[in-house]
Amino acid sequence: MNLAHIGCALVAIKNIAKKMTNHPLDQALHLTAGAEPHTFIGATSPAYWNMVGPFGGYTAALAVRSVMQHPALLGELVALTVNYAGATSEGPFVITATPARTNRSTQHWVIALSQTNAAGEQEVAMTATAMTAIRRDTWHLSDMPMPTVPAAAQVERDASVGTMAWLNRYDMRSIQGGIPQQWDGSGDNTLSQLWVRDIEPRALDYASLAAMADVFYPRIWLRRATRVAAGTVSMTTYFHASTTQMQEVGTSYLLAQAQAQAFRHGFFDQTAQLWSEAGIL
């Protein structure tokens, strides 16, 4: 490689880094260190706004970002549970991300997002726990293979532009189980499958994967084909992919699948999986 080639390579690397920094998700996830230990300061982004607050996946991604940029971080993200205590309001917020315990290969985190309310008091909008760990090359197996579906290029993009702002941040291509076209009570299952990626290309990482894990609309809409008020109150995501595997995905699509298990006493659940185009869960 001659000097000209080296120079071009450096320019390319710098351009990639600049593109990542300027991506709407990275702008929305920008956090600065607070005055108190384990605190970070940020502000909500209109680019990821939902009906009455930010898109829940964006809030989950904020929890991830606070851990991943913490100077005491050990290893990579393995699990995240986010509890949505209340709607996050437009404007500034404070996130605390505290390493509750650090072991030889695992680390356990307690996270909270709070905002100043009308009375001038700090009010918690989100709590979370996370576990990071040093991944080891051990025996592995996937007991849930990716279903056989048409390739992303063969599926038309969903016509979601112009609705809630966060929908405009993703290229989503429904294979089955899209939002009902007729709200007539005729629903008979809860399975959705779709291809998804950032509409503006961005390499996959733990923050963006956490956000994409919440792209599914409420399963009760599909099962009943009836509009009812519904919102996420708790979401747990398990991250099986290493940083290297996500780098291999790059800006490609993920196949996302969701299905409910039970509806009862005012609450319901859903389980979901995301695979790379190469079939890695």
Side-chain angles (χ1 to χ4, degrees), residues 25-142:
L25 182 60
D26 293 294
Q27 293 180 17
L29 295 179
H30 181 68
L31 299 176
T32 58
E36 299 296 324
H38 313 302
T39 62
F40 299 92
I41 311 300
T44 58
S45 169
Y48 288 88
W49 205 253
N50 202 349
M51 291 179 286
V52 296
F55 162 49
Y58 160 66
T59 307
L62 283 169
V64 171
R65 179 57 65 87
S66 69
V67 170
M68 300 308 292
Q69 75 177 59
H70 197 291
L73 173 67
L74 173 72
E76 300 178 341
L77 188 61
V78 175
L80 173 74
T81 295
V82 179
N83 300 305
Y84 300 91
T88 302
S89 302
E90 182 180 3
F93 57 75
V94 176
I95 289 185
T96 60
T98 306
R101 176 161 178 166
T102 301
N103 301 316
R104 184 174 62 178
S105 60
T106 63
Q107 191 172 45
H108 302 265
W109 296 81
V110 177
I111 307 156
L113 183 151
S114 61
Q115 293 180 297
T116 304
N117 61 21
E121 303 168 333
Q122 285 293 301
E123 188 172 60
V124 172
M126 174 272 285
T127 65
T129 57
M131 194 267 277
T132 61
I134 298 173
R135 296 183 187 273
R136 305 190 188 282
D137 188 13
T138 61
W139 179 85
H140 59 273
L141 174 73
S142 178

